[in-house]
Amino acid sequence: MCQVDEDYHDQFEHADPPSVSKKCVKCKEATAAVVIRARDVYCRGCFKEYFIHKFRAMLGKNRIIFPGEKVLLAVSGGPSSCSMLSQVQEGLSQNAHKKLRFLPGIIYIDEGGAVGQSVKDRLRMVAELQAVFKATGFPFHIVPLEQVLDLPSSVVMKAPSPSEQPASAYKAAVDNFIQNDSSSCLTPQEQEETSLPDVQESHTQLLQQLIGSAKTLTAKEDLLNTLRQHLLVHTARTEGYSKLMLGDNCTRVAVKLLTSISLGRGAQLAQDTGFSDFRYDDVIFVRPMRDYSAKEIAYYNHMFKVPSVFIPNLDTKKTDKASIQHLTETFVTKLQTDFPSTVSTIYRTSEKLQTACKSSSTADHSDRCLLCMCALDTAVEDASAFKATLISEQLSGATTTEIPRQNPTPVNTESTAPTGQCCSSETGEDCGRAASGGGSCSSAKAPETTDLKSLLCYSCQLTIKDMSSVDQLPQYILSEAHRRLMRSQMREVISGFLLDDGDEAD
Amino acid sequence: MPVLCSSCGNKRAVLKRPKTGHSLCKECFFWAFEEEVHQTIVSAKLFNHGERVGIAASGGKDSTVLAHLMKLLNERYNYGLELMLLSVDEGITGYRDDSLETVKRNEQQYELPLKIVSYEELYGWTMDAIVKQVGLKNNCTFCGVFRRQALDRGAIILKVDKICTGHNADDVAETVLMNVLRGDIARLRRCTAISTSSEGDGVVPRCKPLKYAYEKEIVLYAYFKKLDYFSTECIYSPNAYRGYARTFLKDLESVRPSSIMDVIHSGENLSVREGVKMPQQGTCNRCGYISSQALCKSCVLLEGLNRGLPRLGIGKHHRLHDKILSQQPLTEKEERKLKAVDF
Ligand SMILES: [Zn+2]
Ligand SMILES: [Zn+2]
Ligand SMILES: [Zn+2]
Ligand SMILES: [Zn+2]
Ligand SMILES: [Zn+2]
């Protein structure tokens, strides 16, 4: 049967070969040096102006960063985040009315421990980045990912609600700032000699065990991403930053959007790809580079000598089908070479998605995913992919499990199963392994995979499912999981006596 | 040592379910597969007792399995539905002739009445004739648009309350991905719906009972049940865009088998920003079918075919709709543009 039920023609416009030795479309005088799109050719000077303007325009349009606010720039060493860093420098050096008015700091998370880099390589890379950071004069924080193991549970708990900042507050803050402006507030703090903080070898091993407990590269990458976010948020909080800038460019946003869809994160798309991400209440993530294509950034960095550092990651040198993240990236990149409108079309989709409702401070925090902190998307209607999957698993599993007949919340049924009984159909495999390894199935301390699932969004459940055990998860996650499970058990016990659904703040 | 069925635990497993990875015996697989479709039908409230339901039958594996299951479940669970088969004859020599033979055999096997509506009788053009005029590159535009309307017209002739189609989980996931690649937010929002309520006059509500069934499991089911289906792909191959989405989905599935469901879950939970403009649905001024333009796609395509201007329905020529409606002549330049067809 022909599957085509609608018309899909004229989608892709093929690439026009770039025209040679044209004049700049902006000043119409100088010879063009950069081809951005087929007909958009710029000379060097106009390209720089265009690039810088775009950054300021993006921040101006969204009005989310207040004058005088402390903003942490997450720099990975890659071209995009390094370009972001240079744009902030550029913006701070502009004359009065064009000047950026926030107080930047830099964070670099050294993930060398997770990807199996040697200590020597890690030190060399850190030294390289340190040189780049020092040259900016901004305060900077170099944090090894191992520190995620010592985070407090507050990272995955509800943060105290930030004071309300109505739209009018922005203008007031600007006026106030202009009156009191003195360049002194931009003087960088005294920079002490920072080197890679001591990382205990045992910590690196624990981190590697944690990443290693994920059986697939897809889950490894997802886990790493979650841990990185937690560490970023924690550092921002402890150092007093209320905004965190990520270097995701347009190409990255397009890849991320398609990746998120493929990983079942449709409900979280807007947070994952939008300009601002409010999931951490008091630390707001922003993506000021999301309008730039990877190509533009490469041109700019090359022309204006913006330094960047190659940092290997988990999927470096892996095959195309090694992970969903990697597969998606390859797919988008290939399609983009054939059809140059691919990235911008996907990017436009992200513009039309609902931006995360500014964290409703009334919502009970246990409604959020323990790992990614997004609203849970598992309380769906019976006719849904999520319920259909549960039914499939129950129907092909052991006959002892009954089919839930119109049970509105199979997830909860699972989570409230007696903790001693761990050999449910889904984790049968794990139990077998634990038994053969001499481990017992007792679950007095750590929550079981099945228990944990009830605290996770659809996509994070997939990640946990790909893990051989959840025991390796850092303590801050496990103890918060324990606390939430206790709360929900208590709620169940007293549910008959509560007058409405209202849950007292934890 | 033979692997035992993970469900009954005593028979030998004969297959590994692509959807869950469980090893099952034949009977347990049949039971699980049928039960799942039943659960989908019940939980999504797809049908009401006493309804006349047309099963869109193409002779392919999806619609054959659908016809088989609808018949079986209707009896097993007493849905009280009056079922019939509805086929579209596009007029494609070799492809449709053979597949229609399959549908005719299904009519006998399942003892369900069959209605065939043909492009020729509805539009005066067979697909073969259309391809001769528009070339191979653009024919799927016609195939898709005409097919959609043909099913509706057939359903009206049969006086059915609903049409169910054989779209499976892979099809739905593929469509989600395709709409992301096309940036088509309106379709992205609609494409995961399991059923469409009547959108207007002349449009019969549709539903997809196999929405959560994996294509591979449909094939397994048909194989072990020895169902009679026609397996050749449409000789007028589907368009490139769907091809990319399909390949990508297959790759995703090979990395993580749950990907198909994961993509559907994503599609079901997308929220579109308020204030994003959605195309306004109206009706076609000529035939009354739903359309966001003055003329529905099918009428535009037909007009193009009948006037020897095949490109009319292929590009975006909304500006010309008023001219066509009021029967004004086209300028020479317009004519030239609409005639050119690259084969
Ligand atoms: Zn210029
Ligand atoms: Zn999550
Ligand atoms: Zn069995
Ligand atoms: Zn076709
Ligand atoms: Zn019409």
Side-chain angles (χ1 to χ4, degrees), chain B residues 266-281:
Chain B
S266 280
E268 286 174 346
N269 287 281
L270 282 179
S271 52
V272 173
R273 186 193 284 262
E274 275 167 57
V276 168
K277 257 180 43 193
M278 291 295 165
Q280 212 50 44
Q281 292 284 41

Side-chain angles (χ1 to χ4, degrees), chain A residues 265 268 369-374 376 456-461:
Chain A
R265 295 186 56 83
Q268 297 95 334
C369 174
L370 175 67
L371 290 180
C372 72
M373 296 293 281
C374 287
L376 287 184
L456 302 174
C457 72
Y458 181 97
S459 185
C460 291
Q461 286 190 21

Side-chain angles (χ1 to χ4, degrees), chain B residues 149 284-289 295-300:
Chain B
Q149 268 203 30
C284 171
N285 287 342
R286 182 169 289 178
C287 73
Y289 195 78
L295 279 176
C296 77
K297 199 84 188 164
S298 157
C299 284
V300 175

Side-chain angles (χ1 to χ4, degrees), chain A residues 88-139:
Chain A
V88 172
Q89 281 180 277
E90 196 67 57
L92 291 171
S93 67
Q94 296 272 320
N95 53 28
H97 76 285
K98 286 181 172 177
K99 190 167 181 166
L100 294 177
R101 303 188 190 97
F102 56 83
L103 306 173
I106 304 170
I107 180 166
Y108 167 72
I109 296 196
D110 165 27
E111 297 172 15
V115 302
Q117 262 187 312
S118 70
V119 177
K120 208 178 108 211
D121 283 347
R122 290 177 75 176
L123 285 172
R124 188 172 45 81
M125 235 150 232
V126 164
E128 222 175 304
L129 280 158
Q130 213 166 10
V132 174
F133 297 162
K134 264 189 190 150
T136 66
F138 301 159

